[in-house]
Amino acid sequence: MSTVDTNVVLRVSNLTVAYGGIQAVKGIDLEIRPGELVTLIGANGAGKTTTLKAITGTQAWHGDISYMGQSIKGKASYELLAQGLAMVPEGRGVFARMSVTENLQMGAFLRNDTAQVKADIERMFQTFPRLKERAKQLAGTLSGGEQQMLAMARALMSQPKLLLLDEPSMGLSPIMVDKIFEVVRSVSAQKIPILLVEQNALLALEAADRAYVMESGLVTLSGKASEMLDDPKVRAAYLGEAA
Ligand code: ATP
């Protein structure tokens, strides 16, 4: 079936990914509609990061993935980025030997609207005052939370049409986690669709419109995030409550 559905930003159908003989993703379906904040939660090793890698063209996969109604089969990461598909990877991946400002400029390397890029850097500094204070500091010397902010700001500099976030809260202090989720919410309020992979299921479900739960390479549950938060089975399995 190849009907183009403009009401879906990303559609993943029957996705499988294997590392050698090991199937990490075993045939999953998911979709993101315009303006949605969708979360993908699940235990360690469930296949969440692998799913993001397939979507961004950094891992070989089988099945169908379409972005803005077009198959992305065979497309390289940079081509997808040029079409607005941006990812903030686990571990952040900032350019350690570049300053904060240079990292933000790198985020805009595909843009040629120089004046607007400058204005957007200022906008990022308003959103993340901590980065403004450290504009000239080398990114590799920032704290983990500051690097996460920089990685998100850098991705936003590319003017994404879909933002993929891989465990943005990982390893951060509770205050930093709150700040990062505040930013995720504000990006979502600008109607930029987001696919958020998270270990912190409670925060993710509280922020998201819809959610998918992955277990051992399969999606075992999906639905409205608010309904999942109320589901005793979800609460027992993912939010650490007694059933
Ligand atoms: P986590 O929350 O721990 O990051 P995850 O849900 O993101 O987990 P993945 O990183 O996608 O899980 O890993 C899924 C499975 O694939 C795991 O069993 C993992 O060991 C395996 N895997 C991931 N990357 C590779 C690789 N490069 N080579 C071989 N196996 C891999």
Side-chain angles (χ1 to χ4, degrees):
M1 289 227 287
S2 63
T3 43
V4 174
D5 186 347
T6 50
N7 218 19
V8 179
V9 178
L10 183 83
R11 173 168 284 146
V12 171
S13 314
N14 197 23
L15 176 72
T16 60
V17 182
Y19 296 110
I22 298 167
Q23 283 250 306
V25 177
K26 301 173 182 164
I28 66 163
D29 296 344
L30 62 87
E31 64 180 38
I32 301 170
R33 299 174 205 133
E36 272 194 319
L37 171 46
V38 174
T39 188
L40 182 57
I41 56 176
N44 284 316
K48 306 180 298 295
T49 297
T50 302
T51 300
L52 293 190
K53 286 183 175 166
I55 295 168
T56 51
T58 55
Q59 179 62 50
W61 50 271
H62 290 96
D64 290 302
I65 303 179
S66 65
Y67 169 61
M68 305 285 186
Q70 304 266 323
S71 169
I72 64 165
K73 193 136 240 169
K75 288 204 175 151
S77 308
Y78 70 88
E79 292 175 271
L80 296 169
L81 180 62
Q83 290 172 27
L85 204 162
M87 171 148 157
V88 178
E90 199 173 349
R92 289 114 207 185
V94 295
F95 300 111
R97 287 164 173 275
M98 288 185 181
S99 71
V100 165
T101 303
E102 286 164 345
N103 267 272
L104 294 177
Q105 287 163 343
M106 288 302 287
F109 81 105
L110 289 168
R111 295 172 55 183
N112 45 26
D113 50 341
T114 318
Q116 190 55 43
V117 167
K118 262 185 121 171
D120 283 353
I121 290 178
E122 281 312 311
R123 214 161 49 85
M124 291 307 148
F125 283 155
Q126 276 165 21
T127 310
F128 304 98
R130 189 81 77 97
L131 295 183
K132 185 175 179 140
E133 288 163 23
R134 290 162 172 75
K136 295 201 175 94
Q137 192 171 322
L138 292 185
T141 64
L142 296 173
S143 74
E146 290 161 359
Q147 289 192 23
Q148 183 63 51
M149 287 181 191
L150 179 58
M152 285 175 71
R154 188 183 61 185
L156 291 171
M157 287 298 298
S158 70
Q159 297 181 315
K161 296 193 175 78
L162 173 61
L163 189 59
L164 309 183
L165 300 174
D166 196 359
E167 308 219 8
S169 77
M170 171 110 87
L172 303 186
S173 66
I175 290 174
M176 260 323 171
V177 171
D178 285 350
K179 174 72 191 163
I180 293 296
F181 268 83
E182 206 179 283
V183 173
V184 170
R185 282 193 169 91
S186 82
V187 172
S188 180
Q190 295 163 45
K191 294 290 163 211
I192 297 173
I194 298 174
L195 178 56
L196 168 67
V197 162
E198 252 301 327
Q199 282 276 323
N200 190 327
L202 178 61
L203 279 179
L205 288 174
E206 282 174 350
D209 300 305
R210 286 190 306 111
Y212 294 88
V213 177
M214 270 188 96
E215 281 173 60
S216 307
L218 292 167
V219 168
T220 51
L221 200 62
S222 64
K224 276 182 128 175
S226 56
E227 286 171 11
M228 283 203 200
L229 269 175
D230 289 338
D231 183 333
K233 277 189 297 220
V234 174
R235 297 193 77 90
Y238 299 101
L239 305 178
E241 288 187 2

